Amino acid sequence: MPSWSRAAVALIAIVAAAVIAKLVDRWMARRQLAPEAVTRYRVLRRSVMVAIVAFGILSALLVIPSVRAVAGGVLASTAIVALIVGFAAQSTLSNFVAGLFIAFAQPLRLGDRVTVADEEGVVEEIGLTYTFIRTRGGDRVIVPNSKLASDTIRNSTIVSREKVAQITVQVPLDRDLAQVVDLLRSETDADVSVTALDGAATVTVRAPAADAAAAERLASDLRIRAHARLREAGVLP
């Protein structure tokens, strides 16, 4: 086969791979996903695109005998392959692996408000190797994924649904506060502590709740039970 024919076949293979990658990406982009799945799915889409293009380029190179011989020699040399992989792992490959970690572990997600290295902003894009954060001033901070995977990130968006129901009870200072604390603990089965001694003793009762609505209901119940128990014991009039 003439050299120009091989070159044409190689070019066609590369173009075909690029077209297929674009079509696959468009097909995958049509899926409607939950917000928590968008980040990992976008990274998956880009990984698939890179894999298809890489396969097309490799197929194109194998068409050319001289390049195929060189590629075969390089692949046969495990020492050279290990050197290349080791070198790449220090930069590009480490960022790529970190990007996969971010996509599946999700310490941050698209749309999250985060603080990284004293820079606060909204996660705008998570790429294969870099993440783009838009600051309040409209600037884009470009952070390598390996840095995000190794540094401390403060995420102001990911919060726990669990809340704490908290009430306070004012008790005269001439009462036995230790007895009051024991009474409330036995009645409410919650965390009870004396938090202030200013005119009257402030006794704080805290109990975990599933969410904000449950915390509000539990706080009301704690007030009723605490008031009834302390009146029964003669602590409150």
Side-chain angles (χ1 to χ4, degrees):
M1 181 184 294
S3 58
W4 65 267
S5 298
R6 295 192 181 95
V9 172
L11 180 61
I12 292 173
I14 294 174
V15 172
V19 172
I20 293 173
K22 189 63 177 178
L23 293 176
V24 170
D25 180 65
R26 287 185 177 180
W27 175 75
M28 296 179 69
R30 289 184 298 183
R31 293 193 59 183
Q32 299 295 324
L33 300 173
E36 60 271 14
V38 171
T39 300
R40 64 169 63 101
Y41 191 67
R42 182 170 298 189
V43 173
L44 176 62
R45 282 170 48 197
R46 294 189 173 182
S47 300
V48 170
M49 288 185 64
V50 170
I52 294 174
V53 173
F55 180 78
I57 294 175
L58 179 61
S59 301
L61 292 178
L62 292 178
V63 173
I64 305 174
S66 58
V67 177
R68 182 173 57 207
V70 173
V74 172
L75 293 176
S77 175
T78 56
I80 296 178
V81 172
L83 179 62
I84 293 174
V85 172
F87 178 77
Q90 299 177 12
S91 55
T92 305
L93 186 58
S94 62
N95 284 327
F96 175 74
V97 173
L100 294 178
F101 166 78
I102 292 171
F104 288 93
Q106 293 198 335
L108 51 82
R109 304 161 302 180
L110 294 176
D112 282 359
R113 179 166 294 280
V114 299
T115 302
V116 181
D118 297 328
E119 291 286 351
E120 181 181 354
V122 176
V123 179
E124 191 173 54
E125 186 73 23
I126 299 178
L128 293 178
T129 54
Y130 292 93
T131 292
F132 296 80
I133 299 175
R134 187 181 74 254
T135 65
R136 291 182 177 179
D139 296 331
R140 266 67 175 180
V141 179
I142 304 172
V143 186
N145 287 337
S146 59
K147 180 177 177 63
L148 293 177
S150 59
D151 284 4
T152 301
I153 304 170
R154 185 170 68 183
N155 194 320
S156 302
T157 304
I158 299 178
V159 296
S160 173
R161 285 176 52 86
E162 293 184 358
K163 300 295 181 181
V164 175
Q166 176 175 306
I167 67 169
T168 57
V169 180
Q170 300 298 316
V171 178
L173 291 176
D174 60 351
R175 305 299 183 180
D176 186 345
L177 296 182
Q179 180 189 17
V180 171
V181 169
D182 290 339
L183 287 172
L184 292 178
R185 282 176 179 167
S186 62
E187 176 65 28
T188 61
D189 193 24
D191 178 50
V192 182
S193 59
V194 179
T195 55
L197 295 172
D198 186 12
T202 301
V203 181
T204 302
V205 182
R206 298 184 182 91
D211 52 38
E216 186 175 351
R217 293 191 299 269
L218 179 57
S220 176
D221 180 64
L222 289 174
R223 292 187 186 96
I224 294 173
R225 291 163 60 188
H227 182 262
R229 186 70 180 90
L230 293 180
R231 287 194 62 185
E232 180 184 348
V235 176
L236 296 178

